[in-house]
Amino acid sequence: MTEIYPTVAQCAVVAVAFKILLFPAYKSTDFEVHRNWLAITNSLPLWEWYYEKTSEWTLDYPPFFAYFEWILSQVAKLVDPAMLRIYNLGYDSWQTVYFQRFTVIATELVLLYALQLFVESSHGITRRAAQAAAISVLLSPGLLIIDHIHFQYNGAMYGILILSLVLARQKSSLLASGLVFAALLCMKHIYLYLAPAYFVYLLRTYCLSPKSIFRIQFLNCVKLASGIFGIVGIAFGPFAIKNQIPQILSRLFPFSRGLCHAYWAPNVWAMYSFVDRVLISVGPRLGLLVRKEAINSVTRGLVGDTTFAVLPEVTPGVCFALTLLFQAIPLVKLFFRPSWDAFIGAVTLCGYSSFLFGWHVHEKAILLVIIPFSLIALKDRRHLGAFRPLAVSGHVSLFPLLFTPAEFPIKTVYTIFWLVLFLMVFDHMAPASNRPRFFLFDRFTILYIAISIPLIVYCSLLHHIVFGKSYEFLPLMFMSSYSAIGVVGSWVGFMVVYFTS
């Protein structure tokens, strides 16, 4: 088979060289979070991991990730044993920084393998499109900003997700797909948002007969169920013996946090918060009651529980109901037409619903939508039309994560270069659809992308020049509200594409 250049591996080599240059860059509190987890898993017995609270950054990921940190700690003690002392809060020797940065790059080999497998599972014309999509994910500004500057291990975990999605492409590896996803859930529970799509797809294609939904393939059900129970047992079993499951669940699902993060993730609740903020000013003129005790809530960018001054309060139950409702809609089509493309579309729409309507959503969770969508964005021009505003809004919404001047040119130049390069390449490669495109939606996308440049300039540069340290939350509010419009618009566009394809 003729090789297509540049290959995914060649791009990975260049990317690694660039990421090494970022070792001394800004790092967020997540760096200390993971250093503390290294110390916890290395210094304490297994039974104390989820009770330790010397640092405010307690262990709040599922056990497989804790085991992963323990493995890394076995190497870390050879590099700098001081990083593994629990009371060494804020410790960041250059050995510690370089070690942790390097582990992010090394564990991205999982992502590289999964993307290469995705390319190899595609054939003919679609193979070129698959390679372009794979390289776009590998070089994603989102992963660069979140993992290699801000600091996390998303690349490895999204590699596991993509591996699971690719395995679902062939009937012979459906079981492996489900088990890999089960293992992923035991590493990071945020992927539970995508679980409904997996449940419906595996039920329809693996557990039920392809000839009739009323015929159950019992052997397949037993294999899948026993495999999942085995994986969950390995992860949680040691803690279940000590009756620590309630403690772990309290760490994994802290519903005491407010509706919105301190920086609003660009979702429906960001728009809701923005409207509430506007009504604080205009409400008295309209005769609306303004609750003064709520004015200094998260709707003004302060950390704490969300309380709205004018609009009705939103509860976790409301978020859960809306998320479930909008996830269920695409799952109906997936159940009756269980193709791989429909599965990826359903995974993407489950990601959209959880991001747009979820409780205390972090801006970083937008990758739950962007990465699976990337795998089918080049299916035709209608899919690409829905992907464009998501690519812009999703990546721009991550800019406030890096607020130091030194990182401004990196995040802006790299992201703009990525957007221009890949959106042009995608536009050239995406085939025409056999259904008409949406004229108004295309015009919305062009206008939306055009607004992004002056918005970035204002929020990153002009606001500080004009207002100094006053109205510090204003750029964040503009950025989040702008990005929310793009994500919501993309979601509506893709819902139409999904049900009319």
Side-chain angles (χ1 to χ4, degrees):
M1 185 177 292
T2 304
E3 192 69 72
I4 304 171
Y5 294 98
T7 65
V8 176
Q10 288 170 337
C11 292
V13 171
V14 176
V16 166
F18 179 65
K19 291 167 184 175
I20 289 175
L21 296 177
L22 297 176
F23 277 14
Y26 160 83
K27 57 187 183 298
S28 74
T29 53
D30 279 338
F31 180 88
E32 169 61 13
V33 169
H34 288 279
R35 186 215 61 80
N36 185 53
W37 293 357
L38 287 173
I40 289 173
T41 55
N42 182 264
S43 306
L44 298 176
L46 190 73
W47 328 116
E48 297 180 24
W49 288 359
Y50 287 96
Y51 287 91
E52 163 58 36
K53 54 181 180 180
T54 301
S55 167
E56 63 180 309
W57 312 118
T58 54
L59 180 59
D60 58 6
Y61 273 23
F64 273 179
F65 197 89
Y67 301 157
F68 166 74
E69 292 279 7
W70 178 84
I71 292 171
L72 293 182
S73 74
Q74 304 310 301
V75 183
K77 64 186 178 184
L78 303 177
V79 177
D80 184 357
M83 78 173 83
L84 301 178
R85 295 170 189 159
I86 292 177
Y87 292 95
N88 234 352
L89 304 182
Y91 185 77
D92 63 347
S93 68
W94 71 264
Q95 293 97 330
T96 302
V97 172
Y98 279 48
F99 170 75
Q100 291 194 236
R101 294 284 196 196
F102 176 77
T103 59
V104 176
I105 294 177
T107 54
E108 274 193 346
L109 286 172
V110 179
L111 177 64
L112 178 62
Y113 171 75
L115 290 172
Q116 186 60 43
L117 198 65
F118 169 63
V119 174
E120 292 173 358
S121 68
S122 306
H123 305 284
I125 297 175
T126 59
R127 183 181 173 90
R128 293 181 61 85
Q131 182 143 327
I135 293 173
S136 76
V137 172
L138 181 70
L139 304 180
S140 165
L143 291 177
L144 183 82
I145 290 171
I146 297 172
D147 283 7
H148 300 280
I149 303 178
H150 187 270
F151 194 85
Q152 279 189 357
Y153 289 94
N154 290 285
M157 286 180 283
Y158 278 106
I160 298 173
L161 174 64
I162 293 172
L163 176 62
S164 175
L165 295 174
V166 174
L167 290 172
R169 206 167 193 173
Q170 302 294 330
K171 188 175 180 179
S172 60
S173 53
L174 282 172
L175 176 61
S177 172
L179 299 184
V180 169
F181 184 69
L184 178 61
L185 292 181
C186 293
M187 282 199 75
K188 192 169 183 179
H189 51 301
I190 193 173
Y191 295 99
L192 274 170
Y193 289 138
L194 310 182
Y198 272 88
F199 174 80
V200 171
Y201 187 66
L202 291 173
L203 172 68
R204 187 65 180 85
T205 59
Y206 189 71
C207 296
L208 299 180
S209 171
K211 297 179 180 179
S212 172
I213 61 173
F214 300 105
R215 293 176 57 187
I216 301 174
Q217 302 188 90
F218 287 102
L219 180 59
N220 285 356
C221 292
V222 170
K223 288 191 290 186
L224 181 60
S226 59
I228 291 174
F229 280 120
I231 289 170
V232 173
I234 294 171
F236 290 90
F239 303 96
I241 294 172
K242 295 285 188 176
N243 297 316
Q244 294 185 356
I245 299 303
Q247 172 66 14
I248 294 177
L249 294 179
S250 70
R251 289 280 184 91
L252 300 185
F253 303 101
F255 284 109
S256 59
R257 296 175 183 174
L259 171 67
C260 298
H261 195 237
Y263 161 59
W264 309 337
N267 60 9
V268 167
W269 307 126
M271 300 169 76
Y272 193 83
S273 300
F274 177 78
V275 172
D276 186 77
R277 186 69 187 96
V278 171
L279 290 177
I280 290 174
S281 301
V282 303
R285 302 174 192 173
L286 301 175
L288 300 175
L289 176 65
V290 178
R291 295 183 291 275
K292 293 185 178 180
E293 69 275 9
I295 290 178
N296 288 325
S297 176
V298 173
T299 53
R300 299 199 65 193
L302 305 175
V303 177
D305 292 337
T306 305
T307 306
F308 295 102
V310 180
L311 296 176
E313 298 297 337
V314 179
T315 65
V318 170
C319 294
F320 179 77
L322 288 173
T323 300
L324 202 61
L325 170 64
F326 286 107
Q327 284 188 340
I329 295 173
L331 296 181
V332 173
K333 176 182 176 179
L334 178 63
F335 183 82
F336 289 104
R337 300 181 63 182
S339 67
W340 186 78
D341 284 349
F343 170 54
I344 302 300
V347 167
T348 301
L349 287 169
C350 282
Y352 267 117
S353 299
S354 59
F355 184 82
L356 290 174
F357 301 102
W359 179 267
H360 198 79
V361 174
H362 286 246
E363 62 282 348
K364 298 183 283 291
I366 191 61
L367 294 184
L368 276 175
V369 186
I370 295 176
I371 289 181
F373 200 166
S374 299
L375 305 184
I376 56 171
L378 287 169
K379 183 179 179 180
D380 59 40
R381 301 192 71 80
R382 294 169 86 238
H383 283 73
L384 179 59
F387 179 75
R388 280 198 202 98
L390 173 68
V392 175
S393 60
H395 289 118
V396 168
S397 72
L398 298 174
F399 280 13
L401 290 174
L402 307 181
F403 49 84
T404 51
E407 279 67 42
F408 173 75
I410 298 173
K411 69 182 182 183
T412 52
V413 173
Y414 186 89
T415 301
I416 291 173
F417 177 77
W418 185 95
L419 288 170
V420 171
L421 174 64
F422 283 102
L423 291 184
M424 287 180 62
V425 170
F426 284 11
D427 190 68
H428 176 72
M429 299 184 72
S433 172
N434 55 7
R435 290 181 178 269
R437 292 163 67 188
F438 310 109
F439 177 82
L440 290 178
F441 187 73
D442 286 347
R443 293 302 175 268
F444 158 78
T445 300
I446 293 172
L447 177 62
Y448 183 82
I449 294 174
I451 294 173
S452 65
I453 301 299
L455 179 75
I456 293 171
V457 172
Y458 171 78
C459 292
S460 302
L461 297 174
L462 295 183
H463 178 84
H464 182 72
I465 295 173
V466 175
F467 295 105
K469 294 186 177 181
S470 302
Y471 307 107
E472 286 185 311
F473 190 62
L474 202 59
L476 298 177
M477 184 173 67
F478 285 156
M479 188 77 77
S480 180
S481 300
Y482 164 83
S483 299
I485 293 172
V487 176
V488 171
S490 172
W491 171 63
V492 173
F494 186 52
M495 281 283 275
V496 174
V497 170
Y498 186 74
F499 281 99
T500 58
S501 295

